[in-house]
Amino acid sequence: MRSESMNNKLQNQIPRPTEAQEQEALFRWADFAVGKYPEIKFLYHIPNEGKRSRYNGAALRRQCLKKGVPDLCLPVSSGKYHALYIEMKRKGEKPSLQQLNWLDNLNLFGNRAVWCQGWEEAAKEIERYLRGE
């Protein structure tokens, strides 16, 4: 029993990767997976998050920055879908209502739009998508 308690304490002390670190890990995986799935080279990040100065934030709003847009896009059709969109979350976190709204609407327009916790889940989703599942 004591060993289980120690393991739980150790797990709580290990820092969880940030969302940015999860995305970086996913793109490292994609660099290797491109041999099996050449379409992965078109996967890109949509830089829609982050803290900005008041000036930069206003400029981006004028350029039509939209809250809730998913983090990643793979603009390649597969099966019945036009493209794949992924909202990345670190493990233990969930998307906001704005993000869920975007995912729902992107799905309505013939895309596959999902949210994933961690890079491993996102990698599996990409592989399923490219296999047409």
Side-chain angles (χ1 to χ4, degrees):
M1 187 72 168
R2 184 180 179 132
S3 136
E4 185 177 318
S5 173
M6 291 286 282
N7 284 340
N8 287 340
K9 280 185 178 181
L10 287 174
Q11 286 178 346
N12 290 336
Q13 292 175 356
I14 298 171
R16 287 183 304 148
T18 65
E19 187 175 307
Q21 290 169 329
E22 293 283 5
Q23 285 186 34
E24 289 170 12
L26 178 66
F27 279 96
R28 283 192 301 275
W29 166 83
D31 285 343
F32 288 102
V34 75
K36 186 174 182 180
Y37 303 106
E39 305 94 326
I40 286 182
K41 67 184 174 190
F42 296 106
L43 179 67
Y44 66 92
H45 170 67
I46 301 167
N48 205 33
E49 74 286 321
K51 303 269 186 217
R52 296 176 174 89
S53 70
R54 182 175 285 193
Y55 174 80
N56 286 339
L60 289 172
R61 283 189 295 282
R62 289 191 304 273
Q63 296 167 36
C64 210
L65 177 78
K66 305 265 185 193
K67 287 185 178 183
V69 172
D71 296 308
L72 305 172
C73 180
L74 181 58
V76 173
S77 62
S78 181
K80 64 181 183 177
Y81 300 110
H82 302 300
L84 173 65
Y85 290 88
I86 298 176
E87 174 59 38
M88 288 285 297
K89 292 294 171 194
R90 51 195 299 203
K91 292 175 185 165
E93 292 185 358
K94 295 185 178 180
S96 69
L97 290 176
Q98 288 173 318
Q99 291 166 333
L100 290 172
N101 187 45
W102 267 94
L103 296 175
D104 288 344
N105 282 293
L106 286 166
N107 280 310
L108 287 174
F109 292 122
N111 301 290
R112 174 95 175 116
V114 299
W115 65 277
C116 297
Q117 288 184 336
W119 76 267
E120 296 100 334
E121 189 176 316
K124 288 176 186 171
E125 184 64 40
I126 292 167
E127 287 184 311
R128 283 191 296 268
Y129 177 79
L130 290 175
R131 290 192 305 258
E133 297 175 12

